[in-house]
Amino acid sequence: MRRYIAVVLLAFAALECSASESASGSFTATQSCEAYSSFARRTNPGDVKVTAGTSYTVREINKTDYDWLRVDVPGAQPSLRWVQRTCGTPALEDKQAGRPDEGVSGAVCSAPNQQDSYVLAITWQPGFCEHAKYNGKKPECDAMNSGALAAKTLSLHGLWPNKKECGTQYGSCQGKQFELSKDTIEKIAPWMPNFFYERTFGAYEWNKHGKCQSLPPDDYFIKAVSAVRVVNDSEVGKLVLGNTGKSFKVNDFFDRVKARYGEKVADTITLVCVQRKYLQEIRVSLALDFSTERDLPQMVANARPVGARTVGCADEVYVEAAGKN
């Protein structure tokens, strides 16, 4: 009997491993749930539980239409643990897992001009360049690491139209082809430094996100850059730029934003880190009719609050300096 049980447990473990798929993103627990080293065998060394309101980095899902996620739980041994999807809110970023919710067709999530909100993704370029595996495909990173390009501002990653029912999958719509005027390129290059060298990243952002809204490419990128400038000139930008080469505590960051603008503004901001330490990105929730004509509180007015204030960050965040290599 013992041998039979052992064989069954090994079969469950093999199934668990073979079916899993790598994934990236975050999982914000909405309740306290057990975090298993093996969900098939329900083993939980240390009786670890995820904490409601805490965001965890996702490493795997158990299958394409997943019901379990493997997350990094700091302090647990082992740290990688399986939690049930129903325990919280996933925000996955890989191609397979970052799909629309069940029952929402791909056609619905690639129909243009159906967005109900936006996300502004802002990169702290040194944090990206120092810790991302860009494999020589980012000339702006090579220039920054050599000291030829300075990091004086926050940079534009993208302006992403959102459709709530599609999760993270609203995109890749049909629309105008990517083409920018020389004047537009000159205006956005200081804020999206890849444009100093090539157009590859801009074309990618346009094809994946820009085509899903109605502005033509020139106007879309100008508006996106204008939004980055608002954040850069705000308390958020001052906190990042003022801590270059240093660390700040996440609680202190949000306390200062709240003190300056109020809790509603702070609730529209997410910090994104790599290796749980290094600041890579800031994401800002925006309403459908957002304006860049005034300051940060006006720009984020009527925006939905974010699900988690951090993705992949520990309690303290380091702001990488440029030209380290």
Side-chain angles (χ1 to χ4, degrees), residues 230 265 289-302:
V230 170
V265 173
D289 58 349
F290 77 93
S291 171
T292 63
E293 294 178 0
R294 298 181 66 186
D295 59 7
L296 182 61
Q298 278 69 43
M299 189 174 79
V300 302
N302 303 317

Side-chain angles (χ1 to χ4, degrees), residues 124-136 138-151 197 320-325:
W124 176 240
Q125 200 74 44
F128 172 82
C129 291
E130 185 62 31
H131 301 287
K133 296 179 180 179
Y134 63 90
N135 299 324
K138 293 285 186 180
E140 69 273 22
C141 287
D142 292 329
M144 194 164 286
N145 288 331
S146 70
L149 181 65
Y197 308 97
E320 195 73 64
K324 181 178 178 179
N325 291 344

Side-chain angles (χ1 to χ4, degrees), residues 14-227:
L15 179 63
E16 180 178 298
C17 294
S18 64
S20 65
E21 301 178 8
S22 63
S24 60
S26 67
F27 177 79
T28 303
T30 56
Q31 55 188 304
S32 177
C33 300
E34 287 204 70
Y36 299 107
S37 58
S38 168
F39 66 81
R41 290 178 286 178
R42 294 298 195 272
T43 52
N44 184 3
D47 294 324
V48 176
K49 292 185 177 182
V50 293
T51 304
T54 301
S55 178
Y56 300 89
T57 301
V58 177
R59 302 300 185 190
E60 292 180 66
I61 53 175
N62 68 313
K63 54 185 178 179
T64 301
D65 54 338
Y66 64 100
D67 47 9
W68 291 87
L69 304 94
R70 200 178 194 190
V71 302
D72 193 347
V73 181
Q77 294 294 333
S79 62
L80 293 181
R81 298 297 184 106
W82 291 99
V83 295
Q84 285 187 298
R85 179 175 180 167
T86 54
C87 182
T89 304
L92 303 186
E93 298 174 352
D94 67 299
K95 292 181 180 178
Q96 288 182 314
R99 64 196 186 288
D101 292 336
E102 188 175 347
V104 179
S105 72
V108 169
C109 293
S110 61
N113 304 318
Q114 299 295 311
Q115 71 271 22
D116 53 34
S117 61
Y118 287 88
V119 170
L120 176 67
I122 304 170
T123 299
W124 176 240
Q125 200 74 44
F128 172 82
C129 291
E130 185 62 31
H131 301 287
K133 296 179 180 179
Y134 63 90
N135 299 324
K137 296 181 180 180
K138 293 285 186 180
E140 69 273 22
C141 287
D142 292 329
M144 194 164 286
N145 288 331
S146 70
L149 181 65
K152 297 179 180 179
T153 66
L154 299 172
S155 300
L156 173 65
H157 176 173
L159 178 62
W160 304 337
N162 264 5
K163 188 175 182 181
K164 186 177 181 180
E165 65 200 83
C166 296
T168 60
Q169 192 63 17
Y170 184 60
S172 302
C173 306
Q174 295 297 313
K176 298 180 178 68
Q177 295 303 306
F178 176 71
E179 186 176 355
L180 297 177
S181 69
K182 182 179 178 181
D183 182 61
T184 296
I185 292 171
E186 290 176 352
K187 287 179 179 177
I188 65 177
W191 300 93
M192 198 173 189
N194 181 262
F195 275 94
F196 282 128
Y197 308 97
E198 60 184 18
R199 312 289 178 262
T200 306
F201 186 56
Y204 171 83
E205 285 296 307
W206 173 256
N207 290 330
K208 185 174 182 181
H209 301 288
K211 286 183 177 181
C212 290
Q213 51 78 63
S214 60
L215 292 175
D218 287 281
D219 294 342
Y220 168 77
F221 279 97
I222 291 294
K223 185 170 185 177
V225 161
S226 296

